[in-house]
Amino acid sequence: MFKFNFISKLLNIDNFKVNIPFYCKVTIFLPKKVLPLPKVYDFITNMFNKQTYIERREELKKLVGSGVIILFGNNESPCNFPNNSYYPFRQDSSFLYYFGQKRDGLVGVIDIDNNIETLVGDDIEIEDIVWYGKVDSVHDMAEQVGVANTAPMKTLKTICNTAMAAKRKIHYLPPYRYDIKLQIFDLMGIHPNQQKEEASMNLIQAIVKMRSSKTTEEIEELERAAVIGYKMHTTAMRLTKPGVTEKFVGGQVDGVANSYGAMVSFPTIFSQHGEIMHGNPSMNILESGRLALCDAGAETINHYCSDNTRTFPVNGKFSQRQLEIYSIVESCHDLTLKLAKPGVKYWDVHFAVCKHMTDKLKELGLMKGDTEEAVAAGAHAMFLPHGLGHMMGMDVHDMENFDQINVGFDEETRPNLEQFGTNCLRMGRKLEEGFVVTDEPGIYFIPALIDEWKASGHCKEFINFDKLETYKDFGGIRIEDDVLITKDGCRFIGKDRIPYHPKDVENFMANN
């Protein structure tokens, strides 16, 4: 028996021992810097207190007013055949918000007029227990979140029939999975093509109102997600170097999320083609002189998300041309932090950033003309074809399944769906204390877009196409952080800042 005291110390494990036969050759590979193991209580928490779910449902009843609310949980989704499902299982966020349980095949029913709450679902049978282990009964799960009644799934048809016979309103959310669409068709006779239009706007508005402003316990959960997000992004920065594939770095980033939390909050974007908005990792080999863009986030065990983006040089050192563009994105990112506060429209923050970006690009000779006119014409969208940010919470694009017009806008601020770039603005409404939004400006050089605008002469009075041609091989840069709107302004989510100032990025990559 040979005791590795240095490994015990490295991993914070007492009495770490391993049997090694005397004839074995032992080779130990130690990474340049080891991620510290987390304390269990840093990440693993039970669902929120029972009273939280009781109070949420009570508030929902008040906001909706009358009728029967049906919140569908998700079912398992097959990957390539029925018993090989996507892993891990992900519950519907609104069901989680009000009923807290993560098991598949559940439906929450709230009869507002009769003040009856029911958790509907079938108990797991012995055949499933053999393969997947014992789980709590539906009755036990209901008790854990303060629901008095349970019923098997076949009862849901009776509940719907009784409500429809009495001409009572059944409130449901727009379905996004086809099995739930079929279930709604069976229960209420509404064809899948009409279900989105027939969904309850009253229920949508009530849930958006409640989920938009984050409570203290939700903010704590978002902070946990940020801790994991920090580890994901600093792992990417440590591993990035010439000769490594995008796929390798992206896979390691995903592994961090899986080991510290529930899952990634969205498919990881890691590419040296940063001009592709959703550039998933490929087998392309990272090249010296290129920039790597990493857009990744974690989802905690309790399903609250992080979403950050960093862009850094593959060889660890920015070139002068890269630094010129990067510094503009950096200043746009920091401008948002100065402007975002309660009562300010995020629409106005977005366009303030667009004007600042235009001014800076004019200094480099990439844009020209009057800044106000250029932004009004949408010329900035050549470089920034997306919005400044989106709502964040249990979904990385929080509640976007309700349609962004219902989440990111209000009666005072409406979207512009006609202008390229502006039509991708996900968040424009007036900010309120407790909102969590992303701050993610970027500058991208998209060859196909450059060619199209140049050929058509679109915005030629504001864009210097001759100089722009020389940037076709540049890629793209984005810097993104999650921001909590506070009483007087805003602050970052997460106590540790993923390096983003150029010198900090270079120093981190050099020393790690």
Side-chain angles (χ1 to χ4, degrees):
M1 186 77 75
F2 186 83
K3 185 171 181 180
F4 289 90
N5 288 321
F6 68 99
I7 294 181
S8 302
K9 184 176 181 181
L10 179 70
L11 298 179
N12 295 320
I13 299 173
D14 293 331
N15 298 319
F16 179 88
K17 297 182 180 181
V18 59
N19 287 316
I20 301 178
F22 71 91
Y23 53 80
C24 284
K25 179 181 179 181
V26 180
T27 303
I28 300 175
F29 294 96
L30 293 179
K32 193 172 182 181
K33 186 171 183 180
V34 177
L35 286 174
L37 294 179
K39 298 174 183 176
V40 171
Y41 57 77
D42 284 343
F43 297 101
I44 301 176
T45 60
N46 294 322
M47 68 178 80
F48 294 140
N49 186 280
K50 178 195 294 189
Q51 193 62 30
T52 294
Y53 300 104
I54 293 173
E55 291 173 0
R56 285 175 176 176
R57 294 192 299 271
E58 286 300 317
E59 180 64 18
L60 185 63
K61 293 175 199 174
K62 293 176 185 176
L63 291 173
V64 176
S66 64
V68 178
I69 298 171
I70 298 182
L71 294 175
F72 292 89
N74 283 334
N75 300 310
E76 287 282 13
S77 182
C79 179
N80 54 353
F81 55 88
N83 288 332
N84 189 27
S85 58
Y86 282 100
Y87 178 82
F89 169 73
R90 178 52 158 91
Q91 185 62 279
D92 175 78
S93 294
S94 291
F95 181 90
L96 274 174
Y97 189 81
Y98 294 102
F99 286 90
Q101 295 292 355
K102 304 173 185 179
R103 207 205 83 181
D104 62 307
L106 299 174
V107 178
V109 178
I110 303 173
D111 185 333
I112 301 173
D113 307 305
N114 296 304
N115 198 27
I116 298 173
E117 300 175 349
T118 306
L119 184 63
V120 179
D122 296 326
D123 284 324
I124 299 300
E125 297 178 349
I126 189 62
E127 287 84 357
D128 287 323
I129 292 174
V130 168
W131 290 100
Y132 300 109
K134 192 175 185 301
V135 299
D136 291 337
S137 68
V138 175
H139 174 81
D140 289 340
M141 288 190 288
E143 198 279 330
Q144 290 163 10
V145 293
V147 175
N149 305 286
T150 61
M153 189 58 69
K154 65 181 180 182
T155 308
L156 190 56
K157 179 68 173 174
T158 303
I159 292 171
C160 290
N161 286 344
T162 302
M164 290 187 291
K167 300 190 182 306
R168 299 176 65 203
K169 174 69 175 177
I170 297 179
H171 303 273
Y172 69 88
L173 296 172
Y176 54 89
R177 289 193 173 188
Y178 287 99
D179 56 331
I180 303 300
K181 291 183 179 183
L182 290 173
Q183 191 173 6
I184 291 173
F185 184 51
D186 290 340
L187 292 169
M188 301 174 225
I190 305 172
H191 192 278
N193 289 343
Q194 281 79 52
Q195 288 173 10
K196 183 176 179 179
E197 290 71 23
E198 294 291 328
S200 171
M201 185 56 64
N202 199 9
L203 179 59
I204 290 171
Q205 291 172 341
I207 293 178
V208 169
K209 179 179 177 61
M210 291 184 66
R211 284 180 57 186
S212 290
S213 295
K214 306 302 186 286
T215 63
T216 299
E217 59 188 349
E218 288 183 288
I219 294 168
E220 290 173 354
E221 199 67 25
L222 288 165
E223 295 281 0
R224 293 187 182 99
V227 172
I228 306 172
Y230 175 87
K231 295 178 185 297
M232 294 169 72
H233 280 273
T234 51
T235 294
M237 295 173 76
R238 287 189 180 102
L239 295 176
T240 293
K241 60 183 179 180
V244 175
T245 65
E246 295 175 1
K247 196 76 170 177
F248 176 78
V249 179
Q252 298 297 311
V253 169
D254 287 354
V256 174
N258 294 337
S259 60
Y260 285 86
M263 57 194 291
V264 293
S265 54
F266 58 95
T268 294
I269 298 165
F270 184 85
S271 176
Q272 60 187 345
H273 282 282
E275 76 278 8
I276 302 173
M277 300 298 127
H278 290 169
N280 297 126
S282 72
M283 290 303 293
N284 290 336
I285 296 173
L286 297 176
E287 301 172 8
S288 183
R290 301 294 299 273
L291 293 168
L293 186 150
C294 182
D295 188 344
E299 191 170 304
T300 68
I301 294 297
N302 277 330
H303 302 288
Y304 281 78
C305 299
S306 71
D307 182 7
N308 300 94
T309 306
R310 292 294 185 267
T311 310
F312 38 88
V314 170
N315 62 14
K317 188 74 175 176
F318 288 104
S319 70
Q320 182 58 35
R321 189 171 75 151
Q322 290 169 348
L323 193 58
E324 289 171 351
I325 301 298
Y326 189 96
S327 297
I328 298 175
V329 179
E330 175 194 18
S331 63
C332 289
H333 170 276
D334 291 351
L335 178 61
T336 301
L337 301 175
K338 296 177 182 177
L339 298 178
K341 61 182 178 181
V344 172
K345 296 177 186 177
Y346 215 49
W347 177 284
D348 293 336
V349 179
H350 169 82
F351 281 104
V353 165
C354 293
K355 292 171 185 176
H356 176 75
M357 180 182 294
T358 299
D359 284 337
K360 293 297 182 181
L361 289 170
K362 284 165 59 179
E363 292 176 10
L364 290 181
L366 287 165
M367 293 189 72
K368 58 187 178 180
D370 182 80
T371 296
E372 295 284 343
E373 292 177 5
V375 171
H380 63 281
M382 165 60 74
F383 307 94
L384 178 61
H386 61 73
L388 181 61
H390 51 80
M391 291 283 245
M392 268 279 303
M394 299 182 79
D395 308 311
V396 70
H397 289 178
D398 213 20
M399 301 174 283
E400 204 160 287
N401 55 305
F402 300 158
D403 272 354
Q404 203 56 36
I405 192 171
N406 298 316
V407 179
F409 294 87
D410 52 27
E411 292 303 318
E412 185 179 354
T413 309
R414 309 307 289 166
N416 178 349
L417 302 179
E418 304 301 321
Q419 187 182 71
F420 176 79
T422 306
N423 61 352
C424 292
L425 193 59
R426 288 188 168 100
M427 177 66 184
R429 65 187 287 193
K430 192 175 288 185
L431 298 170
E432 298 179 21
E433 183 179 358
F435 282 14
V436 176
V437 297
T438 60
D439 166 18
E440 50 179 306
I443 293 178
Y444 314 90
F445 297 90
I446 307 168
L449 187 62
I450 294 170
D451 290 343
E452 181 176 310
W453 282 29
K454 183 178 181 179
S456 67
H458 183 60
C459 289
K460 63 182 180 180
E461 62 271 40
F462 304 115
I463 297 173
N464 186 342
F465 284 104
D466 289 340
K467 184 159 187 176
L468 192 54
E469 281 285 333
T470 67
Y471 281 78
K472 278 186 173 180
D473 63 347
F474 185 94
I477 294 172
R478 181 166 62 253
I479 303 173
E480 177 183 14
D481 282 299
D482 305 326
V483 175
L484 171 68
I485 305 303
T486 60
K487 181 179 179 180
D488 301 314
C490 67
R491 70 165 177 85
F492 286 120
I493 295 283
K495 64 181 179 64
D496 294 321
R497 188 66 39 240
I498 306 165
Y500 76 93
H501 296 303
K503 285 298 181 186
D504 293 339
V505 171
E506 291 179 341
N507 289 339
F508 184 91
M509 296 184 75
N511 296 322
N512 291 277

